[in-house]
Amino acid sequence: MAGFKSILACDVGNSRITLGSVIDEKVVHRRDVPIGQFDLLADALEETLSKCKSPVGIAACSVQPEYFSMLESVIQDKLRQRILLIGRDLPLPMKTAVNEPERVGTDRLCSAAMAYHRLGAACVVADFGTAITIDCVNDEGIFLGGAILPGLKMSVDALASGTALLPRVQLEKPDWVIGTDTRRAIIAGVISAARGALRWLTEAYATELGHWPEVIVTGGDAELVVEDLQDIVHAVVPDLCLMGVALAASGRQGRENSLSTPPDDNDD
């Protein structure tokens, strides 16, 4: 896709399809289509495409084959264009040192590739979404693997469905340490567990690497987790995966300036 001025990047996840107009490695417009609201998909695609500069390439990463097939059909029927899928039509965006690279979620690889592309050094990439992934890339830009654990909402739902008396609570950023009622105790426990996992794994990865890596955080629940972790978190980048999809589509690799949070959706 080297000849395209912009990329319509798609991230097909477990809870939503995220679309982004990516120009010069910046997401200038983003739309989320929640699972179960696919009637909004065609309009969301047309709106996102309108924010791109022509000519436009369309690329995606996906962890949900069924939802990707729906997206591909809409793009072919409504936009009359072809979507290129990373891992099928496009190569994986970075080298790996895992046993089965084809089984690693391409969203993880896209986020890791983008983080390394900007930093040019070893990094930890944590995605706090439906599931939590905390991955490690070494100084040579090789994806080493990482850890997968339940996301915040999944943990809350598991407590409610797996016990007789614990309620299903609404997550919020806690301003307390000790939970003085059941709701607060659950919120404190779930979020503290995620914070602890990020801190502990980063320290463990640093031991393996031989030095401290930069930590890049993304995902819908990132802001709930990064509180009190400013000492280890380098940047929170909500659209890291979309930027990585566009990077993979362009085939570019390299080292650039330090990573910073991309502009707001309305910044054209």
Side-chain angles (χ1 to χ4, degrees), residues 231-243:
D231 59 321
I232 68 168
V233 173
H234 177 72
V236 179
V237 187
D239 295 323
L240 186 65
C241 184
L242 293 176
M243 296 160 69

Side-chain angles (χ1 to χ4, degrees), residues 1-267:
M1 291 191 174
F4 291 97
K5 291 185 177 180
S6 58
I7 302 293
L8 196 169
C10 310
D11 175 14
V12 183
N14 291 297
S15 60
R16 65 181 180 235
I17 295 176
T18 302
L19 312 171
S21 309
V22 186
I23 302 173
D24 297 328
E25 298 186 1
K26 295 179 180 179
V27 178
V28 298
H29 180 80
R30 167 180 168 153
R31 278 288 303 270
D32 291 322
V33 180
I35 300 306
Q37 299 184 27
F38 289 131
D39 55 312
L40 305 176
L41 192 54
D43 288 342
L45 281 164
E46 290 179 350
E47 177 185 326
T48 309
L49 185 64
S50 71
K51 304 296 183 178
C52 293
K53 292 181 179 178
S54 183
V56 182
I58 306 178
C61 67
S62 174
V63 297
Q64 268 285 358
E66 179 183 353
Y67 301 153
F68 173 76
S69 293
M70 297 176 64
L71 173 68
E72 186 171 37
S73 295
V74 174
I75 288 174
Q76 290 174 344
D77 294 344
K78 301 294 184 181
L79 304 184
R80 303 297 180 186
Q81 287 191 238
R82 183 188 179 204
I83 182 172
L84 300 182
L85 179 64
I86 296 169
R88 184 192 70 181
D89 310 304
L90 295 169
L92 298 179
M94 68 190 319
K95 294 179 180 179
T96 74
V98 300
N99 294 331
E100 298 178 286
E102 71 280 358
R103 295 180 65 85
V104 177
T106 50
D107 56 338
R108 296 168 63 189
L109 292 175
C110 285
S111 293
M114 190 65 207
Y116 182 80
H117 176 67
R118 290 289 184 89
L119 295 169
C123 54
V124 172
V125 181
D127 187 342
F128 293 94
T130 303
I132 296 171
T133 58
I134 303 175
D135 296 319
C136 185
V137 178
N138 68 12
D139 283 307
E140 289 70 45
I142 299 172
F143 180 90
L144 301 180
I148 303 174
L149 52 154
L152 301 185
K153 185 177 184 301
M154 189 181 297
S155 296
V156 166
D157 290 344
L159 287 172
S161 62
T163 64
L165 298 178
L166 293 180
R168 183 172 278 101
V169 302
Q170 187 71 32
L171 287 165
E172 62 179 277
K173 188 181 297 183
D175 58 2
W176 62 89
V177 175
I178 300 173
T180 54
D181 55 43
T182 301
R183 183 187 69 85
R184 289 188 168 210
I186 292 172
I187 293 171
V190 168
I191 293 179
S192 295
R195 290 173 177 170
L198 179 58
R199 184 178 293 277
W200 189 92
L201 284 166
T202 298
E203 292 176 354
Y205 294 165
T207 300
E208 291 288 322
L209 293 168
H211 64 89
W212 193 266
E214 300 282 17
V215 178
I216 308 300
V217 178
T218 190
D221 289 331
E223 292 294 342
L224 290 174
V225 178
V226 296
E227 187 84 11
D228 299 326
L229 292 175
Q230 292 88 345
D231 59 321
I232 68 168
V233 173
H234 177 72
V236 179
V237 187
D239 295 323
L240 186 65
C241 184
L242 293 176
M243 296 160 69
V245 170
L247 181 72
S250 71
R252 292 191 303 274
Q253 295 181 359
R255 302 183 176 190
E256 298 193 3
N257 297 327
S258 60
L259 199 60
S260 59
T261 302
D264 293 335
D265 289 352
N266 294 325
D267 186 357

